[in-house]
Amino acid sequence: METGSVTTPFGRRSMTLGMLASQVMAGEIKPDQSVDKWKLFRALCEAKPLLGIGDRALAVLNALLSFYPKNELAQGNGLIVFPSNIQLSLRTHGMAEQTVRRHLAALVDAGLLLRKDSPNGKRYVRRDRAGEVDEAFGFSLAPLLARAEEIEQLAAAVMAERLHVQRLRERITLCRRDIAKLIEAAVEEDIPGDWQGLYSEFRDLIDGLPRSPTTAQLELLLDELTGLRTNILNQLEIQVKSTKRRGNADYIERHIQNSNPESTSELEPSFEPKQGAIAEPDNDRGSVTVAKGETCHPFAQKEEEQSRRPGVRNDGGGLKSFPLGLVLQACPEILAYGPDGAIRNWRELMAAAVIVRSMLGVSPSAYEEAANVMGPENAATVMACILERGGHINSAGGYLRGLTRRSEKGEFAIGPMLMALLRANAPAGRKVG
């Protein structure tokens, strides 16, 4: 049994006031006080951030508890365990003895264990003639029993904080989705308003959040997003009420025709993505965003889907298709808009062309018409050529519509355009991705 006297550590280890305080606390344990050791250990695992201990220290403590013969920690059962470092190493699945000693010291410093060192520093037990433990030297689990209530309260606080953060993140996700879809609806319906400015404000809020935000930062972000969503809703409600007052059938019909009930786009709207930005997946929303935090145009996915519908002409309207490598050699500027600055297949070229279309101000209808007439691959090729000659074209949308009309009449061929660009870029040709 424990004697309850204050003991000092063996060897060069110094005595601290923290050790003394832990021993005094252990001496105040009530005779009838007990706690399930494994239930307490689970609470310790929850409360570890507040106790300043790590996973490996908990693994060593778990091994020590396994040497305690009873499930209930109680004064009457004795509270000292005395395994050797070799035994602890085996119980911690081969942890090095030096590492075991380091984590034992961390548990003592955290006030979860007490050392009761023998005169020679060894851990052993002395028994009486009846075989009962007379005195033991090793590690006392008394601090765990003394702090059981405190540990359970800390664990409850950590769990409550985790649940609070989870709910904050859920509400932030809902706000992000609402704002993105409301701005997208406003853009598609041509509702007047500074939607680009609101979207920029939205992205600034999201991009300003650190990778590992605190609870206070999440709460502040939620408040700001809620205010922004309210502002957007107020503007849309004003427009809806104005539409009802006017009662203009043509106005309402135009809005119905412009809406896209089949759209499954989950993209957040964006305006004029920067040249050279690299597309990457956004796991939060399942969309495609550019590396600098800007999101692709809301019509990008819709156009790509429409270009693959059965009704779209994929024969290119009689236009000859050219190898992808030749297209990229003639139009190297389009590479910057592909994933990782490279384009490896026609699908990636068509996705890059959609981004370029938005950047150059070409309307979705103009690009869709070009894809129907020329075929999606040839339309993407023409868009790459327009990007390459951007400095010489005043209106990219008008230029594309003109080429589409000529293609319908059989008066346009892509070959001469590609050959001219190929000759112009020959000295500085880039590698195909």
Side-chain angles (χ1 to χ4, degrees):
M1 300 295 292
E2 289 189 86
T3 61
S5 60
V6 172
T7 60
T8 57
F10 171 78
R12 291 179 292 179
R13 290 192 294 267
S14 59
M15 182 69 178
T16 66
L17 290 178
M19 294 179 186
L20 181 60
S22 296
Q23 293 189 40
V24 171
M25 184 185 299
E28 297 174 352
I29 297 175
K30 299 176 182 178
D32 58 344
Q33 187 175 347
S34 65
V35 64
D36 185 283
K37 65 179 181 180
W38 297 124
K39 181 180 178 181
L40 182 61
F41 181 75
R42 286 192 292 272
L44 273 169
C45 292
E46 292 287 351
K48 66 179 180 180
L50 302 180
L51 293 170
I53 53 175
D55 295 337
R56 306 199 78 184
L58 284 174
V60 173
L61 181 59
N62 180 76
L64 282 173
L65 289 174
S66 70
F67 284 101
Y68 189 76
K70 306 286 187 179
N71 278 334
E72 293 286 327
L73 287 178
Q75 187 83 354
N77 297 331
L79 292 171
I80 293 181
V81 290
F82 38 87
S84 66
N85 286 340
I86 295 177
Q87 291 174 315
L88 284 174
S89 178
L90 292 174
R91 294 275 177 108
T92 53
H93 307 287
M95 186 183 295
E97 291 185 39
Q98 183 178 2
T99 306
V100 169
R101 286 194 293 270
R102 186 170 70 251
H103 291 302
L104 286 171
L107 290 169
V108 172
D109 292 340
L112 299 176
L113 289 180
L114 279 179
R115 293 183 185 272
K116 186 178 180 183
D117 289 342
S118 65
N120 62 2
K122 302 294 184 182
R123 300 171 204 153
Y124 59 86
V125 62
R126 184 180 293 114
R127 302 180 184 275
D128 57 21
R129 293 190 177 187
E132 297 293 331
V133 175
D134 182 41
E135 190 170 15
F137 297 97
F139 290 101
S140 173
L141 303 176
L144 289 177
L145 181 58
R147 299 180 63 184
E149 184 177 351
E150 175 197 353
I151 291 170
E152 290 173 353
Q153 290 175 353
L154 291 176
V158 170
M159 294 170 66
E161 178 70 8
R162 185 188 303 130
L163 181 60
H164 178 53
V165 169
Q166 180 183 349
R167 289 176 176 172
L168 281 175
R169 290 184 179 276
E170 289 174 351
R171 293 174 64 188
I172 288 172
T173 298
L174 291 174
C175 270
R176 290 180 65 174
R177 185 180 71 191
D178 292 346
I179 292 171
K181 288 185 176 291
L182 288 171
I183 293 178
E184 181 179 357
V187 172
E188 289 186 352
E189 300 286 349
D190 293 328
I191 295 175
D194 184 18
W195 304 115
Q196 179 174 354
L198 290 171
Y199 177 74
S200 298
E201 181 182 350
F202 169 55
R203 287 310 316 177
D204 288 342
L205 290 175
I206 299 302
D207 296 339
L209 191 68
R211 184 178 293 272
S212 299
T214 63
T215 304
Q217 289 172 327
L218 290 174
E219 290 173 344
L220 178 60
L221 176 63
L222 178 59
D223 290 341
E224 292 174 333
L225 288 177
T226 302
L228 181 60
R229 180 177 60 181
T230 301
N231 182 18
I232 294 171
L233 281 172
N234 288 339
Q235 294 190 41
L236 293 177
E237 287 174 1
I238 291 172
Q239 184 65 32
V240 169
K241 292 176 181 177
S242 174
T243 303
K244 287 182 178 179
R245 282 197 300 269
R246 278 184 285 180
N248 189 327
D250 294 336
Y251 182 84
I252 297 173
E253 182 179 0
R254 178 171 64 85
H255 276 265
I256 294 174
Q257 290 172 348
N258 285 344
S259 63
N260 182 13
E262 297 178 358
S263 174
T264 59
S265 172
E266 293 292 332
L267 301 181
E268 294 179 357
S270 176
F271 304 87
E272 299 182 3
K274 295 181 182 178
Q275 184 169 349
I278 302 170
E280 62 183 5
D282 186 340
N283 294 330
D284 242 4
R285 296 176 299 279
S287 66
V288 176
T289 61
V290 290
K292 295 183 180 178
E294 300 177 5
T295 312
C296 295
H297 195 278
F299 304 125
Q301 181 179 357
K302 178 173 69 176
E303 291 172 359
E304 185 177 351
E305 291 173 353
Q306 287 175 342
S307 68
R308 294 197 299 270
R309 290 181 183 173
V312 175
R313 293 174 55 188
N314 291 322
D315 58 358
L319 289 180
K320 177 182 178 181
S321 297
F322 291 85
L324 178 63
L326 178 64
V327 173
L328 296 179
Q329 189 175 357
C331 308
E333 292 296 331
I334 195 74
L335 288 170
Y337 299 90
D340 302 322
I343 293 176
R344 290 165 284 271
N345 51 54
W346 282 105
R347 179 183 179 85
E348 291 182 353
L349 177 63
M350 288 187 283
V354 170
I355 298 175
V356 170
R357 175 205 67 72
S358 175
M359 185 192 71
L360 295 179
V362 177
S363 67
S365 59
Y367 186 77
E368 181 179 354
E369 184 180 7
N372 286 334
V373 173
M374 302 178 186
E377 295 179 357
N378 286 329
T381 301
V382 170
M383 189 55 61
C385 294
I386 293 176
L387 174 66
E388 201 70 20
R389 298 183 56 194
H392 305 282
I393 299 174
N394 293 329
S395 173
Y399 187 76
L400 180 62
R401 287 190 184 276
L403 294 181
T404 303
R405 300 286 81 80
R406 292 175 55 191
S407 180
E408 284 181 326
K409 299 176 183 179
E411 299 174 355
F412 171 65
I414 299 177
M417 182 185 293
L418 282 176
M419 293 304 106
L421 292 173
L422 192 61
R423 286 192 296 270
N425 292 323
R430 302 184 188 179
K431 284 188 178 181
V432 176

